């Protein structure tokens, strides 16, 4: 659990700082951070690459199974995907009124992709950064301390908000489609307190609507960020050989518990997406 | 905690992924699952139908067996009746035959008897003539007295 040749416990703050810094294109060369809170000149390559890689993994699985679906002798991968598809489809049938061709693929994509991205958290915290820094040092001749890599895309607000804003766009789209533009505006004006409290209604409904994508994104981000941080703190325990059993025990326990967390977070994201879109399809407001 | 251009990248990745999964996995697989569900239901219904048909066939077979048994019993009864009739007829004809043979025999006996009687009569007549010849010690003209002799013979 050591970073290159420097014992990590020598400088825990720097260790964590280093782990929390993205591989960034267009960031400030000194701080390796984006210049501002919102900076569209910066681009986190690691987040995007791992996200795309895991999306590719899911695509590959889907393609491999979808290419020759065998109803009588399903392969084990097909069995697995069938179970996931049926599970997601059942959730949608339970919650969602009527039929919508996009809701199913959307839900399963969120569930599986988020699960995959979360599952990157279960890899040893130093493994991929260490490989990256070794490659950086020996192949590209860069100072290994300046190779940054964060492997869990969902510990990045860009990913979680990317998902939740996409969902938010669909919420607005289906609200307008179902209720009409006027109906959607009326929802802001007369909901929840009726026509005598229009200003309050506008504030309340706006907060309600905005809270949907924000809570979706922050819930996932917070859970994954905290999980990652805890793995780092456990990794920091390796200051002496006699703490090794404690570190291994803690790390294993947290990893096992984290299997539940990553699954539940992926599931919650999917479920709330379905719920929000179901609400958007209701015309009774 | 920043928003960067990665946001757009992730949204694009997400959109492509949803589109891909929709076409490659979700729709084909739901179709397969639906097909399988329908096929299983069809299979179960067919099995149910088959069982029902088997029951019907069994009932029919039982019915047929019963009918056949009844028919056989009827045939046997008829045959028995016919056999009795044949026996009776045979007995009757045998009796008739016996009667006929008996009658024939009786007639023959009667005839024999009559012939024997005739013969005897003639012999007695001759004997009587011979006796009379002897008694009269002279010849009686057989020609002249044949009518008398014949009368005598008829009386015997």
């Amino acid at each position: 659990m050591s970073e290159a040749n420097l014992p990590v416990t020598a400088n825990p703050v720097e260790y964590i700082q280093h782990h929390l810094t993205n591989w960034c294109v267009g960031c400030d060369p000194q701080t390796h951070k984006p210049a501002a809170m919102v900076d569209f000149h910066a681009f986190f390559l690691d987040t995007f690459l791992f996200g795309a890689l895991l999306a590719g993994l899911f695509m590959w699985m889907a393609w491999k199974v979808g290419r020759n679906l065998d109803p009588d002798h399903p392969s084990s991968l097909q069995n697995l995907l069938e179970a996931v598809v049926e599970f997601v489809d059942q959730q949608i049938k339970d919650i969602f009124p009527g039929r919508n061709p996009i809701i199913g693929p959307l839900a399963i994509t969120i569930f599986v992709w988020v699960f995959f991205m979360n599952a990157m958290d279960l890899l040893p915290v130093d493994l991929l950064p260490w490989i990256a820094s070794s490659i950086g040092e020996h192949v590209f001749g860069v100072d290994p301390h300046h190779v940054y890599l964060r492997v869990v895309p969902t510990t990045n607000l860009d990913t979680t908000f990317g998902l939740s804003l996409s969902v938010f766009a669909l919420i607005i789209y289906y609200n307008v489609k179902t209720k009409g533009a006027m109906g959607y505006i009326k929802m802001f004006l007369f909901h929840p307190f009726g026509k005598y409290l229009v200003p309050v209604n506008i504030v309340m409904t706006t907060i309600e609507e905005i809270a949907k994508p924000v809570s979706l994104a922050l819930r996932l981000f917070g859970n994954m960020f905290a999980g990652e941080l805890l793995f780092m703190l456990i990794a920091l325990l390796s200051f002496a050989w006699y703490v090794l059993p404690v570190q291994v025990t803690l790390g294993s326990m947290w990893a096992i518990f984290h299997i539940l967390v990553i699954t539940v977070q992926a599931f919650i994201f999917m479920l709330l997406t379905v719920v929000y879109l179901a609400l958007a399809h209701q015309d009774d407001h | 905690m920043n928003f960067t251009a990665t946001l757009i990248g992730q949204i694009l990745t997400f959109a492509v992924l949803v589109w891909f999964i929709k076409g490659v996995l979700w729709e084909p697989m739901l179709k397969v699952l639906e097909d399988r569900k329908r096929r299983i239901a069809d299979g179960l219904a067919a099995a149910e139908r088959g069982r029902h048909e088997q029951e019907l066939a069994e009932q029919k077979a039982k019915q047929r067996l019963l009918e056949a048994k009844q028919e056989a019993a009827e045939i046997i009864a008829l045959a028995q009746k016919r056999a009795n009739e044949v026996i009776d007829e045979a007995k009757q004809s045998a009796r008739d035959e016996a009667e006929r043979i008996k009658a024939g025999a009786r007639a023959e006996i009667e005839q024999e008897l009559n012939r024997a009687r005739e013969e005897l009569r003639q012999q007695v007549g001759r004997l009587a003539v011979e006796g009379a010849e002897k008694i009269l010690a002279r010849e009686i003209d057989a020609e002249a007295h044949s009518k008398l002799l014949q009368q005598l013979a008829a009386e015997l």
Side-chain angles (χ1 to χ4, degrees):
Chain A
M1 291 286 168
S2 66
E3 177 89 44
N5 42 21
L6 184 79
V8 294
T9 45
N11 197 341
V13 175
E14 196 200 293
Y15 172 80
I16 287 180
Q17 283 288 342
H18 190 271
H19 264 288
L20 291 183
T21 306
N22 282 92
W23 178 13
C24 182
V25 174
C27 286
D28 189 308
Q30 290 303 310
T31 59
H32 300 284
K33 301 268 181 210
M37 174 77 187
V38 179
D39 179 9
F40 278 94
H41 296 292
F43 187 76
F44 293 142
L45 256 177
D46 49 2
T47 298
F48 179 73
L49 279 181
F50 280 112
L53 212 69
L54 293 165
L57 175 69
F58 186 33
M59 279 182 181
W60 175 76
M61 282 167 70
W63 178 75
K64 199 169 173 325
V65 167
R67 190 180 36 157
N68 42 8
L69 279 168
D70 189 344
D72 297 318
H73 309 286
S75 63
S76 43
L77 188 61
Q78 187 186 331
N79 266 333
L80 176 70
L81 286 185
E82 271 181 19
V84 177
V85 166
E86 280 204 302
F87 170 70
V88 173
D89 196 41
Q90 192 54 50
Q91 298 297 330
I92 294 168
K93 276 181 186 153
D94 288 348
I95 299 168
F96 199 77
R99 288 199 69 77
N100 181 325
I102 198 71
I103 186 85
L106 184 81
I108 197 174
T109 303
I110 287 173
F111 183 53
V112 177
W113 195 34
V114 169
F115 176 78
F116 279 177
M117 290 192 289
N118 290 354
M120 294 300 285
D121 221 356
L122 295 175
L123 294 174
V125 272
D126 283 318
L127 180 67
L128 292 178
W130 175 75
I131 292 172
S133 64
S134 298
I135 291 172
E137 184 181 7
H138 299 297
V139 180
F140 298 105
V142 198
D143 180 3
H145 288 118
H146 287 150
V147 177
Y148 296 100
L149 194 71
R150 284 182 79 184
V151 296
V152 190
T154 38
T155 55
N156 193 306
L157 278 179
D158 288 326
T159 307
T160 58
F161 268 98
L163 286 165
S164 72
L165 288 178
S166 306
V167 172
F168 188 50
L170 285 174
I171 291 174
I172 294 173
Y173 172 75
Y174 283 116
N175 262 319
V176 171
K177 199 182 167 194
T178 315
K179 305 177 176 80
M182 281 316 291
Y184 190 46
I185 293 167
K186 269 186 197 157
M187 187 183 97
F188 279 85
L189 295 180
F190 304 126
H191 180 81
F193 294 127
K195 55 186 172 180
Y196 299 111
L197 283 169
V198 171
V200 183
N201 286 342
I202 291 174
V203 173
M204 292 287 284
T205 311
T206 307
I207 289 173
E208 196 184 317
E209 290 300 302
I210 298 291
K212 286 175 182 174
V214 171
S215 69
L216 267 182
L218 288 183
R219 178 184 307 110
L220 181 60
F221 167 77
N223 273 284
M224 298 325 295
F225 189 84
E228 190 194 29
L229 203 62
L230 214 64
F231 275 120
M232 287 173 204
L233 292 175
I234 291 167
L236 273 173
L237 278 174
S238 58
F239 51 83
W241 64 267
Y242 54 84
V243 244
L244 193 66
V246 179
Q247 189 196 4
V248 170
T249 313
L250 277 176
S252 308
M253 277 168 59
W254 181 239
I256 290 166
F257 179 65
H258 213 57
I259 294 172
L260 181 71
V261 174
I262 62 177
T263 317
V264 165
Q265 287 308 318
F267 176 67
I268 288 175
F269 205 116
M270 175 200 89
L271 201 68
L272 286 178
T273 301
V274 177
V275 169
Y276 291 156
L277 286 178
L279 285 176
H281 278 75
Q282 281 171 4
D283 205 7
D284 52 8
H285 290 298
Chain B
M1 324 291 144
N2 307 87
F3 289 102
T4 64
T6 324
L7 181 73
I8 292 151
Q10 296 295 68
I11 289 174
L12 288 178
T13 311
F14 182 54
V16 170
L17 190 56
V18 170
W19 168 79
F20 187 88
I21 293 302
K22 181 178 190 291
V24 171
L25 182 69
W26 184 264
E27 284 169 358
M29 186 167 270
L30 274 192
K31 224 177 84 199
V32 165
L33 291 176
E34 210 58 44
D35 279 359
R36 186 185 292 158
K37 209 184 274 177
R38 206 176 49 240
R39 246 187 21 223
I40 290 173
D42 284 355
L44 287 176
E48 189 58 41
R49 214 162 43 237
R51 203 158 49 219
H52 187 66
E53 265 166 25
Q54 194 200 357
E55 254 167 39
L56 275 182
E58 258 167 27
Q59 251 173 16
K60 220 171 176 180
K62 229 178 251 174
Q63 182 77 18
R64 262 315 232 313
L65 205 66
L66 212 70
E67 275 174 18
K69 266 183 188 161
Q70 270 175 0
E71 227 165 281
E74 268 170 33
I75 287 170
I76 289 171
L78 213 68
Q80 229 146 26
K81 208 173 125 202
R82 179 90 194 105
N84 287 341
E85 271 174 19
V86 166
I87 290 170
D88 283 353
E89 265 172 33
K91 272 183 187 163
Q92 190 60 43
S93 71
R95 209 173 283 138
D96 288 356
E97 183 73 13
E99 210 63 42
R100 205 167 48 79
I101 289 171
K102 232 158 70 184
R106 199 168 284 148
E108 213 168 307
I109 289 167
E110 197 81 20
Q111 222 176 357
E112 271 319 293
L113 201 64
N114 282 347
R115 209 169 50 227
R117 204 176 276 159
E118 191 69 28
E119 212 166 297
L120 197 62
R121 197 180 292 142
Q122 281 174 5
Q123 274 183 2
V124 167
R126 211 166 44 242
L127 276 175
V129 171
E130 272 174 26
E133 268 175 7
K134 276 179 183 154
I135 292 166
L136 292 173
R138 75 176 183 208
E139 240 175 274
I140 299 173
D141 189 2
E143 284 283 327
H145 298 101
S146 71
K147 200 168 178 186
L148 187 75
L149 285 172
Q150 256 164 19
Q151 207 174 358
L152 198 70
E155 272 170 30
L156 284 170

